[in-house]
Amino acid sequence: MEYVELDGVIIDIDYITLENRSTIRITAKADGKIYKLLDPGFYPYFYLVPFNKGLQPETIMSMNIVVNGEKHEVNSVTRQLRNIKGIDTEVLRIDAKNTRSVPKLSEYLREFGSRYEYDILFWKRYLIDKHLSPLSGVHFKAHPDGKYLVIDSIAAGVEPSGALSYLCFDIETYNPAVAPRPDKDPAIMISYKSRDRSGVLTTKQINKPFVTVCMDEKDMISKFVELIKEIDPDIISGYNSSNFDVPYLMKRAKKLGVAFDITRYSEEAREENHGLVQMIKIPGRINLDMYNVTKFISIVGASEKLLKINRLTLFEVYQAITGDTKKTVDKTNIWQQWDGPKEELENLAEYSLSDSISLEKLYDFFVPLEIEMSKVSGLTLSETAVSTTGQLVEYLLMAYATWNNELIPNKPTESEIMERNSNPIEGAYVKTPEAGIYKNISVFDFRGLYPSIIIANNIDPATVCRGCADYYESPTGARFRKSPTGIIPKVLQLLISERTDVKKKYKKDPDNIYLGARSQALKILANSFYGYLGYARSRWYSRDCAGSVTAFGREVIMNTMNDAEQEGFKVVYGDTDSVFLLMQSKTKEDAMAFLQKINTKLPGSMELELEDFYTSGVFVGKKDKAGSGAKKKYALLSESGRIKIKGFELVRRDWSNVARETQKRVLEAILKEGSKEKASAIVKGVVKDLQSGNVKLKDLVIYTQLRKGIDKYDNNSPELSAAKKALANNVKRRDELEGATIGYIITMNGNSISDKAEIEDTASSYDPEYYINRQVLPATLKILKELGLSEEELKGRGSQKRL
């Protein structure tokens, strides 16, 4: 028999049903070629911990299990030893013949014992049990059987060289109702970019060298499918393509009677839900929606370039990443441009192509981090691209639990989730500052404080103990046995150790973008473990663990602040893992000596680091307490001239640009020039401009995300009202609004604030009093109050008499 033995990477993994058997299917790439593999020797399974220890495997095997007229067969039952919360327990592993039988068998057997791992996806189970990480390399030996290779052996292997191939694409649609309707409105252009190939497919004669003219829409979609088969990309990438482009083409293809087979298996792509995220499964390929990738990177703060943009549109993200602007058109009247003269058609084609070219640049920028996130977590790139950090942490823990013979905890029930949410865990210690302006501040941070605490104290749900003799005790009174090491601290230690090694390599090879991305991926995941421990829907939720982590953190911060005061510093602010010290008469050398002294007392890998020295800083007051500062709300000026801003409207998207820019100018006037008069003049000038109608509408847009469906809100809000108007007037599609960041302006049209809200595309006026009293003054008054200025003075009405 002819055998194939190769090292490659897994592009995609799923399963198919053959002769009533669920069979793992793998798409692998090796030596630049694609291999389609099957593994019929792996079965879906779950565990049963019997109530009656005398329950025999033969008894379960002999059961006739029929649910809704369908018989569900048990393939095998074996006795095994597994660890449950630190206790070795005898369990029964129950193998089924297909995945749909697992939940049925599990439900049927619930009266016989506690069930575990009955909801683990089959392909995830396979990767975990085989110790495989899709893009980290796999070695397989297989023999041919029809159109597939049947796996004889598979294991982790050496990662081969060579990049994955890709195709970036975008579509344009006819939209006389503004929001295109897939049942009526045709797709009119499909652009693409793949390294040295690019172009636009369309159905009208456009005399541009990059344009391919098709007979009709059906021919255009067919040619796009042919193009994908010809280029044969490993990755298909769009921007919001899982919500719009691919589903739109799928619906148009179905209406026109054309096969939209963009897979590697002569199958249809399919829509799937991944939590709150819509994803498209393309068997044999990786679907990489760059909007989802960008949103993830923005949320975790992995790219400073994304922090200050208002909306994650392709235009704004491209501008933030590249510093350039991409070509734009008025998207509300694309249909008119399509029906317009030659010049407008050419302009539309150029715009369409620019979308795919811009997308390719984002792809090149973001993909290294996404690939490394996939390698570190062990998930496929398709799955990684639609996952939260909590989901990535959970998969890592599932894998390591399995490899360490631990049973994976079950998901919590809805009643358990409600109970957890009703009893929140005490958070970090915050020393609120005295509101005011300060000079000469040194800021210190604890590097990886929470991961260090978890490792140093062996904090894990399985190590929580009551009567153990050798333990760590947290300030809450919870105890954690010192050995064996729990899964969570074990995985964290591995991540942190690897990051230390990667950082050393990156220092020697700073141009290696994948080393930099690997370091960042390891940091993101390591910093997500504490949040996962306290997340109400977590499999590894533990109140003792999460509460102890923050309690240890509070203790470390408070001890450090006490030591600082004894050394002659004055603590102005402390929060979670940072301390802000007034230098007073102390020198930089004194500050560094203090840092070294603290580090000699810290346990394990915990370490205090200098963030920076700052020449001045502003801390603002709370609304309800005169003189008391607000937490996480300050601005600092470093010795290098860099301004660090935390918590002010300047770094929030739900404030207008006029408010944020005014606040920024005020902070600069105070921190850099120390000028109360200039700061006051800036605000008065903006108030005057607003009253005179001299502020541009684009500077008045407020951005807020609609996190739920439009019809699922109980109370109205400005963003919801604006969205409803846009939907009712066919200015926006529902999928463009729900889950999206809405840009709106408070106009003069209406009574309440919500009534007056209109999306930026249609707003033609603004309410000056709203922007003065609800935007500009709230953004600046807290700062200027520390300088003795009042609201009346800022409005230009003279100084306010005080009693």
Side-chain angles (χ1 to χ4, degrees):
M1 186 181 291
E2 181 186 354
Y3 285 94
V4 174
E5 189 168 4
L6 289 167
D7 283 297
V9 293
I10 294 174
I11 300 293
D12 184 42
I13 179 171
D14 56 9
Y15 71 89
I16 56 176
T17 301
L18 297 174
E19 299 177 353
N20 201 35
R21 277 279 319 281
S22 294
T23 303
I24 287 290
R25 178 174 68 178
I26 294 173
T27 309
K29 188 170 189 176
D31 292 340
K33 298 178 182 177
I34 294 298
Y35 294 86
K36 300 173 181 179
L37 310 168
L38 294 180
D39 194 339
F42 190 78
Y43 291 84
Y45 65 87
F46 65 99
Y47 291 104
L48 183 75
V49 181
F51 298 140
N52 178 4
K53 301 303 180 184
L55 181 65
Q56 298 299 314
E58 296 78 14
T59 304
I60 295 177
M61 287 293 295
S62 65
M63 291 178 179
N64 184 34
I65 303 175
V66 179
V67 180
N68 296 329
E70 183 180 10
K71 185 173 182 178
H72 296 276
E73 294 183 64
V74 175
N75 188 67
S76 65
V77 182
T78 55
R79 289 190 183 278
Q80 296 186 359
L81 200 64
R82 288 289 182 272
N83 191 283
I84 303 177
K85 291 190 175 180
I87 300 171
D88 286 336
T89 307
E90 192 174 82
V91 303
L92 296 177
R93 170 174 154 162
I94 300 167
D95 286 36
K97 289 194 173 181
N98 57 63
T99 56
R100 71 176 180 275
S101 290
V102 171
K104 305 295 184 184
L105 293 171
S106 169
E107 184 65 24
Y108 184 87
L109 294 170
R110 68 183 305 159
E111 63 180 285
F112 297 95
S114 300
R115 304 148 302 134
Y116 287 86
E117 304 189 17
Y118 50 85
D119 58 354
I120 311 298
L121 292 179
F122 188 33
W123 65 266
K124 288 185 179 180
R125 168 79 73 193
Y126 184 86
L127 291 178
I128 289 171
D129 284 18
K130 298 291 185 179
H131 290 247
L132 301 176
S133 179
L135 295 183
S136 294
V138 58
H139 180 85
F140 62 87
K141 183 178 180 182
H143 64 271
D145 185 359
K147 63 180 181 179
Y148 290 100
L149 293 174
V150 176
I151 292 172
D152 295 295
S153 65
I154 188 167
V158 178
E159 184 182 331
S161 58
L164 300 177
S165 60
Y166 68 87
L167 175 79
C168 296
F169 83 102
D170 185 71
I171 72 170
E172 307 304 332
T173 56
Y174 197 66
N175 64 337
V178 182
R181 303 156 295 184
D183 60 323
K184 296 180 180 179
D185 300 325
I188 55 177
M189 289 182 182
I190 305 176
S191 64
Y192 61 91
K193 181 73 170 71
S194 179
R195 288 297 178 218
D196 57 346
R197 295 187 64 172
S198 63
V200 173
L201 304 175
T202 189
T203 58
K204 282 191 177 182
Q205 187 64 44
I206 300 175
N207 296 319
K208 288 288 182 178
F210 57 82
V211 171
T212 299
V213 181
C214 307
M215 292 184 295
D216 51 27
E217 184 189 9
K218 182 176 180 180
D219 183 45
M220 180 179 71
I221 294 174
S222 295
K223 279 188 167 58
F224 181 59
V225 172
E226 290 169 10
L227 181 74
I228 288 175
K229 292 186 181 301
E230 180 187 341
I231 295 175
D232 196 24
D234 302 316
I235 300 173
I236 294 179
S237 183
Y239 202 84
N240 199 32
S241 52
S242 294
N243 281 308
F244 180 68
D245 301 70
V246 176
Y248 204 95
L249 290 177
M250 289 169 67
K251 289 169 185 171
R252 293 303 300 165
K254 186 175 182 179
K255 184 175 179 65
L256 296 168
V258 58
F260 190 65
D261 174 20
I262 59 174
T263 76
R264 279 180 163 142
Y265 290 99
S266 300
E267 299 174 6
E268 292 287 328
R270 54 185 185 268
E271 297 179 74
E272 297 179 352
N273 288 321
H274 189 279
L276 299 175
V277 179
Q278 170 82 8
M279 69 176 288
I280 300 291
K281 173 71 175 176
I282 307 175
R285 305 191 197 279
I286 296 165
N287 175 38
L288 199 61
D289 187 333
M290 290 307 295
Y291 172 73
N292 290 333
V293 172
T294 303
K295 185 164 66 171
F296 173 87
I297 290 173
S298 175
I299 289 170
V300 300
S303 174
E304 288 189 11
K305 293 182 177 181
L306 293 181
L307 293 180
K308 294 182 181 179
I309 64 175
N310 295 313
R311 294 182 300 172
L312 297 179
T313 62
L314 178 58
F315 178 87
E316 290 198 47
V317 174
Y318 177 80
Q319 187 174 37
I321 296 304
T322 67
D324 296 328
T325 57
K326 67 174 290 297
K327 188 176 182 66
T328 60
V329 298
D330 183 352
K331 297 187 76 170
T332 63
N333 67 359
I334 282 178
W335 67 283
Q336 291 176 322
Q337 298 167 61
W338 177 250
D339 291 337
K342 168 188 170 184
E343 293 75 15
E344 290 198 23
L345 275 174
E346 291 178 349
N347 186 59
L348 190 59
E350 289 171 351
Y351 162 74
S352 179
L353 182 61
S354 75
D355 273 359
S356 289
I357 292 172
S358 301
L359 179 58
E360 182 186 53
K361 292 186 178 180
L362 298 188
Y363 176 95
D364 289 338
F365 184 84
F366 289 124
V367 153
L369 177 59
E370 204 64 22
I371 285 176
E372 294 306 319
M373 291 294 293
S374 172
K375 289 178 181 177
V376 172
S377 69
L379 282 168
T380 63
L381 185 53
S382 291
E383 184 81 2
T384 302
V386 293
S387 295
T388 63
T389 54
Q391 289 164 337
L392 297 177
V393 166
E394 180 168 278
Y395 181 78
L396 260 179
L397 291 175
M398 286 165 57
Y400 277 91
T402 300
W403 302 338
N404 285 271
N405 251 12
E406 287 192 15
L407 280 187
I408 297 169
N410 290 327
K411 290 180 179 178
T413 64
E414 286 302 317
S415 61
E416 288 174 324
I417 292 167
M418 288 178 64
E419 182 183 350
R420 293 171 180 181
N421 281 327
S422 67
N423 193 16
I425 295 161
E426 186 179 354
Y429 171 75
V430 177
K431 171 183 167 52
T432 56
E434 290 298 313
I437 300 170
Y438 298 86
K439 300 291 184 183
N440 297 326
I441 304 167
S442 57
V443 178
F444 296 93
D445 290 326
F446 282 96
R447 184 179 66 188
L449 179 62
Y450 284 178
S452 300
I453 287 171
I454 291 170
I455 293 168
N457 298 283
N458 200 26
I459 295 176
D460 186 280
T463 65
V464 176
C465 61
R466 296 292 180 262
C468 48
D470 195 16
Y471 56 83
Y472 301 103
E473 184 169 351
S474 88
T476 67
R479 296 177 176 181
F480 305 91
R481 65 172 61 90
K482 291 188 175 181
S483 64
T485 304
I487 290 297
I488 290 176
K490 184 180 291 186
V491 176
L492 268 175
Q493 185 61 67
L494 290 169
L495 294 176
I496 291 171
S497 297
E498 183 184 350
R499 184 165 187 250
T500 300
D501 292 339
V502 168
K503 286 173 73 176
K504 290 177 182 176
K505 293 176 183 176
Y506 188 44
K507 194 172 183 180
K508 294 178 181 177
D509 186 10
D511 294 328
N512 189 325
I513 57 174
Y514 283 92
L515 282 176
R518 181 80 170 189
S519 175
Q520 201 169 26
L522 289 162
K523 178 183 178 180
I524 290 168
L525 283 178
N527 287 339
S528 300
F529 274 72
Y530 160 71
Y532 181 73
L533 272 172
Y535 175 50
R537 294 184 179 273
S538 165
R539 291 178 186 267
W540 271 269
Y541 173 90
S542 170
R543 185 174 179 79
D544 280 337
C545 291
S548 293
V549 172
T550 53
F552 274 122
R554 291 192 296 271
E555 185 176 75
V556 168
I557 287 290
M558 291 170 73
N559 288 342
T560 302
M561 289 192 291
N562 288 335
D563 288 346
E565 294 280 357
Q566 291 176 11
E567 291 289 327
F569 297 94
K570 179 176 175 56
V571 179
V572 66
Y573 180 56
D575 182 10
T576 309
D577 60 357
S578 302
V579 289
F580 295 58
L581 307 180
L582 295 182
M583 298 290 283
Q584 302 194 117
S585 61
K586 294 289 184 178
T587 64
K588 290 182 181 179
E589 290 73 22
D590 294 330
M592 296 310 294
F594 167 72
L595 180 147
Q596 295 300 325
K597 183 176 180 180
I598 293 296
N599 281 332
T600 59
K601 301 193 294 184
L602 294 174
S605 60
M606 200 178 298
E607 184 179 357
L608 186 65
E609 296 179 316
L610 172 72
E611 180 195 286
D612 210 342
F613 291 105
Y614 296 91
T615 58
S616 60
V618 175
F619 294 85
V620 303
K622 287 184 180 180
K623 284 183 180 179
D624 54 347
K625 292 185 180 179
S628 177
K631 64 181 181 179
K632 296 183 186 295
K633 200 161 188 176
Y634 55 84
L636 302 170
L637 176 66
S638 73
E639 292 182 329
S640 63
R642 178 179 64 91
I643 293 181
K644 177 182 178 180
I645 297 173
K646 186 79 169 180
F648 283 113
E649 287 70 24
L650 176 59
V651 292
R652 286 173 51 183
R653 293 176 182 163
D654 57 348
W655 283 73
S656 64
N657 191 54
V658 69
R660 290 186 288 126
E661 281 301 309
T662 304
Q663 188 181 76
K664 179 183 178 182
R665 292 169 62 200
V666 165
L667 287 170
E668 287 177 343
I670 294 170
L671 293 174
K672 290 185 175 181
E673 301 177 42
S675 175
K676 163 186 170 179
E677 292 73 23
K678 183 173 181 179
S680 175
I682 288 168
V683 179
K684 290 177 181 178
V686 173
V687 167
K688 184 177 179 181
D689 286 342
L690 282 165
Q691 291 170 333
S692 304
N694 293 330
V695 178
K696 295 179 180 178
L697 288 175
K698 68 177 183 177
D699 290 327
L700 302 169
V701 182
I702 301 165
Y703 296 96
T704 308
Q705 186 178 8
L706 277 184
R707 300 187 180 275
K708 297 189 290 187
I710 288 175
D711 303 323
K712 294 185 178 179
Y713 285 88
D714 295 327
N715 299 316
N716 205 6
S717 63
E719 65 272 14
L720 181 60
S721 176
K724 285 180 175 178
K725 291 176 188 174
L727 189 63
N729 295 325
N730 288 320
V731 176
K732 293 283 185 181
R733 304 186 308 269
R734 184 174 288 269
D735 68 276
E736 289 182 297
L737 297 167
E738 294 184 341
T741 299
I742 307 298
Y744 64 91
I745 292 172
I746 303 302
T747 70
M748 294 295 289
N749 307 318
N751 297 316
S752 68
I753 298 300
S754 293
D755 289 342
K756 293 181 176 183
E758 293 182 24
I759 64 166
E760 57 182 307
D761 308 65
T762 60
S764 58
S765 66
Y766 72 86
D767 181 349
E769 291 305 309
Y770 171 83
Y771 285 96
I772 293 168
N773 296 311
R774 301 285 190 95
Q775 291 276 310
V776 172
L777 290 183
T780 56
L781 191 57
K782 282 186 179 180
I783 303 167
L784 296 177
K785 266 171 53 178
E786 309 309 328
L787 300 174
L789 294 169
S790 70
E791 182 175 340
E792 293 299 310
E793 288 175 274
L794 296 175
K795 287 182 177 180
R797 298 171 184 167
S799 61
Q800 185 182 42
K801 293 182 179 180
R802 293 175 181 159
L803 296 176

